[in-house]
C-alpha cells in the first residue's frame, strides 16, 4: 500500500476543490481489493494498446528534511489569509479563501484565525463551504466508483510517451506506481502531484475548512455546501480525454522539487492574504506549464470558472438582509476577472478586504 503520509500533502488543485484533496487522501489508502470496485472507463477516454508492466524498484530512503523541528513546524507569524467582506444594502457575505490542507502553525491554538474572521464567524448564522461535511462522508466510495478501474486502465488511456514519464517519475515508489496503474488520468494527475509534494509536510487536519468547523460552535448555526459531492466530482469525470491528459502532462512538466517549491509559494501567498496576487501567480504558472493552451483553458473553464459562477449563484440564494453568511471556498476561486469577488461586484456588491 502506498505511504499513507501522501494523504497529508497539498497540490495546486487543492486550492481549487476540496474533493481533490479528499480523493487523494482516500485513494492512497486503497488496498488491492478496493481497486476491484471501479466501473467501466468513461466514454470520453479512448484506450491505447496495452504496455508491459514496469519493473519494480527498491524503496528509497525517505528524506524528512522538511523545515520542521522534532515537535513540528517552526512557529511563524499569524496567517492573514484572503478574507473579504461583500455588502449590498443590509446583505453581507463574508468570503474567506481556503487551503484544504496546511501546517499546525497556520492555526495557533490561542488564536487560530484573525479577530475579524472570528467576529464574522460569530455573526453568521450560516457557514457555507464548497461541500457540506455530511456529503464528504461518501467521498471515498465515489473515488472508487469514478476514479479507479478494475483493470490497469491508466496504461490504456495514455500515449506511450506520457506513460513512460509517469513510470519514470514514480519508479522509486513501486507501491504508488502500482496504484496509479488502476486510476483514470484525472485522478492520476492529482496523485502524481500528491506524491511529488510529500516532503512539504502539509496535513489535512490543518485544512482551513476543518479548522473553521472547530471554532464554529453556534448552537443555532448550520453548515451547508455550495455544491454537491457529485457536482464537484463530475467536474473532473466529465473532462474529455485530451483535457484529462493535459492535467497529467502539466503535473509531469516539472521535477518533484519544482512542484514542491510551487506548493510552498502557494502557501506563502495564501498566508499573505491577497486573492488577486494568488490568482495572478497561478495564471502565470498555468501559462508556463500548459502543453496545449486551448485545452488547458478548457480545463480551467470547467474546474474553476464554471464552479465560480455556481458558487456565486448559491451564495446569493443564501444571502438575506441582516443575516450574514460566512463563505469559505478554495483561495484560487476568489481573485481575477472571472473570480468570485468580481462576480459579486457585478451583482451589485461592494467588496473590500477585511
Amino acid at each position: 500500500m502506498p505511504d499513507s503520509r501522501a494523504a497529508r500533502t497539498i497540490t495546486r488543485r487543492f486550492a481549487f476543490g476540496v474533493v481533490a484533496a479528499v480523493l487523494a487522501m482516500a485513494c492512497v489508502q486503497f488496498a488491492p481489493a478496493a481497486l476491484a470496485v471501479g466501473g467501466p472507463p468513461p466514454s470520453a477516454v479512448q484506450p491505447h494498446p496495452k504496455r508491459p508492466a514496469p519493473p519494480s524498484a527498491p524503496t528509497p530512503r525517505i528524506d524528512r528534511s522538511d523545515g520542521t523541528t522534532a515537535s513540528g513546524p517552526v512557529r511563524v507569524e499569524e496567517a492573514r489569509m484572503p478574507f473579504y467582506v461583500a455588502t449590498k444594502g443590509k446583505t453581507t457575505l463574508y468570503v474567506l479563501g481556503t487551503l484544504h490542507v496546511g501546517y499546525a502553525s497556520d492555526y495557533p491554538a490561542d488564536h487560530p484565525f484573525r479577530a475579524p474572521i472570528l467576529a464574522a464567524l460569530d455573526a453568521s448564522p450560516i457557514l457555507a463551504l464548497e461541500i457540506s461535511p455530511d456529503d464528504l462522508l461518501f467521498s471515498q466510495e465515489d473515488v472508487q466508483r469514478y476514479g479507479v478501474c478494475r483493470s490497469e486502465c491508466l496504461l490504456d488511456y495514455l500515449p506511450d510517451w506520457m506513460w513512460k514519464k509517469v513510470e519514470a517519475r514514480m519508479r522509486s515508489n513501486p507501491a504508488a506506481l502500482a496504484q496509479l496503474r488502476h486510476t483514470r488520468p484525472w485522478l492520476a494527475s492529482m496523485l502524481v502531484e500528491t506524491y511529488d509534494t510529500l516532503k512539504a509536510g502539509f496535513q489535512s487536519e490543518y485544512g482551513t475548512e476543518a479548522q473553521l468547523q472547530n471554532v464554529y460552535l453556534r448552537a443555532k448555526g448550520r453548515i451547508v455546501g455550495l455544491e454537491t459531492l457529485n457536482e464537484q466530482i463530475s467536474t473532473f469525470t466529465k473532462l474529455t480525454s485530451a483535457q484529462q491528459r493535459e492535467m497529467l502532462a502539466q503535473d509531469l512538466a516539472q521535477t518533484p522539487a519544482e512542484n514542491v517549491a510551487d506548493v510552498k509559494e502557494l502557501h506563502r501567498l495564501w498566508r499573505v492574504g491577497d486573492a488577486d496576487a494568488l490568482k495572478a501567480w497561478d495564471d502565470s504558472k498555468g501559462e508556463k506549464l500548459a502543453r496545449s493552451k486551448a485545452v488547458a483553458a478548457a480545463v480551467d473553464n470547467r474546474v474553476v470558472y464554471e464552479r465560480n459562477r455556481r458558487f456565486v449563484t448559491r451564495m446569493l440564494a443564501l444571502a438575506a438582509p441582516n443575516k450574514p453568511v460566512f463563505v469559505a471556498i478554495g483561495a484560487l476561486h476568489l481573485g481575477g476577472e472571472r473570480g468570485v469577488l468580481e462576480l459579486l461586484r457585478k451583482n451589485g456588491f461592494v467588496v473590500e478586504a477585511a
Side-chain angles (χ1 to χ4, degrees), residues 185-235:
W186 65 272
L187 184 56
S189 168
M190 295 174 185
L191 288 171
V192 166
E193 263 194 301
T194 297
Y195 288 117
D196 276 354
T197 58
L198 261 166
K199 294 180 184 179
F202 292 96
Q203 299 180 28
S204 60
E205 56 264 44
Y206 295 111
T208 313
E209 291 82 2
Q211 296 301 309
L212 284 171
Q213 292 176 67
N214 286 344
V215 300
Y216 189 70
L217 302 175
R218 294 178 57 89
K220 296 182 180 179
R222 62 191 177 104
I223 302 177
V224 302
L226 293 176
E227 61 185 356
T228 67
L229 180 65
N230 283 340
E231 284 174 331
Q232 193 170 117
I233 289 181
S234 69
T235 294

Side-chain angles (χ1 to χ4, degrees), residues 73-83 96-99 101-108 111-112 114 117 202 206 208 263-275 278 331:
V74 177
R75 177 66 180 266
V76 294
E77 293 183 2
E78 183 182 53
R80 286 193 57 80
M81 310 177 195
F83 181 54
L96 178 68
T98 68
L99 287 184
V101 292
Y103 292 128
S105 57
D106 292 329
Y107 307 96
H111 52 97
R114 293 189 289 121
I117 297 175
F202 292 96
Y206 295 111
T208 313
V263 167
K264 291 184 176 180
E265 179 63 7
L266 171 65
H267 177 259
R268 185 190 71 80
L269 290 170
W270 171 78
R271 288 185 58 88
V272 170
D274 185 330
L278 264 168

Side-chain angles (χ1 to χ4, degrees), residues 123-321:
S124 302
I126 296 176
L127 170 60
L129 307 176
E130 289 182 27
I131 295 177
S132 74
D134 290 341
D135 231 359
L136 285 177
L137 293 175
F138 303 100
S139 60
Q140 184 165 336
E141 297 172 11
D142 280 349
V143 70
Q144 294 182 43
R145 184 178 302 115
Y146 298 115
V148 179
C149 311
R150 297 185 183 93
S151 64
E152 296 181 341
C153 56
L154 187 62
L155 284 72
D156 298 335
Y157 296 154
L158 301 184
D160 286 326
W161 69 267
M162 189 176 291
W163 168 250
K164 289 176 181 177
K165 291 195 74 169
V166 171
E167 184 181 9
R169 175 65 62 89
M170 304 305 297
R171 194 180 298 277
S172 62
N173 192 338
L177 182 59
Q179 179 190 53
L180 280 171
R181 294 161 72 90
H182 289 270
T183 63
R184 293 175 177 133
W186 65 272
L187 184 56
S189 168
M190 295 174 185
L191 288 171
V192 166
E193 263 194 301
T194 297
Y195 288 117
D196 276 354
T197 58
L198 261 166
K199 294 180 184 179
F202 292 96
Q203 299 180 28
S204 60
E205 56 264 44
Y206 295 111
T208 313
E209 291 82 2
Q211 296 301 309
L212 284 171
Q213 292 176 67
N214 286 344
V215 300
Y216 189 70
L217 302 175
R218 294 178 57 89
K220 296 182 180 179
R222 62 191 177 104
I223 302 177
V224 302
L226 293 176
E227 61 185 356
T228 67
L229 180 65
N230 283 340
E231 284 174 331
Q232 193 170 117
I233 289 181
S234 69
T235 294
F236 300 101
T237 60
K238 291 184 179 179
L239 292 171
T240 67
S241 60
Q243 291 165 355
Q244 292 188 42
R245 289 168 186 152
E246 175 65 29
M247 286 177 60
L248 183 54
Q250 289 189 28
D251 294 325
L252 297 169
Q254 297 189 138
T255 66
E258 288 171 329
N259 284 342
V260 169
D262 281 344
V263 167
K264 291 184 176 180
E265 179 63 7
L266 171 65
H267 177 259
R268 185 190 71 80
L269 290 170
W270 171 78
R271 288 185 58 88
V272 170
D274 185 330
D276 288 324
L278 264 168
K279 190 63 172 69
W281 172 83
D282 186 69
D283 287 346
S284 176
K285 174 180 169 65
E287 180 83 9
K288 178 181 71 173
L289 297 182
R291 181 167 172 262
S292 165
K293 296 191 184 304
V295 176
V299 172
D300 285 344
N301 186 60
R302 177 171 289 277
V303 173
V304 187
Y305 302 122
E306 287 183 6
R307 294 176 61 226
N308 288 352
R309 294 190 289 272
R310 180 161 65 218
F311 289 153
V312 170
T313 296
R314 293 178 182 172
M315 289 162 62
L316 297 179
L318 291 169

Side-chain angles (χ1 to χ4, degrees), residues 47-129:
H48 285 263
K50 286 281 186 183
R51 297 166 186 76
S56 60
T59 302
R61 180 183 65 83
I62 298 173
D63 180 0
R64 301 184 187 277
S65 57
D66 57 2
T68 63
T69 66
S71 60
V74 177
R75 177 66 180 266
V76 294
E77 293 183 2
E78 183 182 53
R80 286 193 57 80
M81 310 177 195
F83 181 54
Y84 297 82
V85 181
T87 56
K88 183 179 181 181
K90 295 182 179 181
T91 300
T92 300
L93 293 167
Y94 299 110
V95 184
L96 178 68
T98 68
L99 287 184
H100 305 311
V101 292
Y103 292 128
S105 57
D106 292 329
Y107 307 96
D110 54 341
H111 52 97
F113 295 95
R114 293 189 289 121
I117 297 175
L118 292 173
L121 272 175
D122 187 61
S124 302
I126 296 176
L127 170 60
L129 307 176

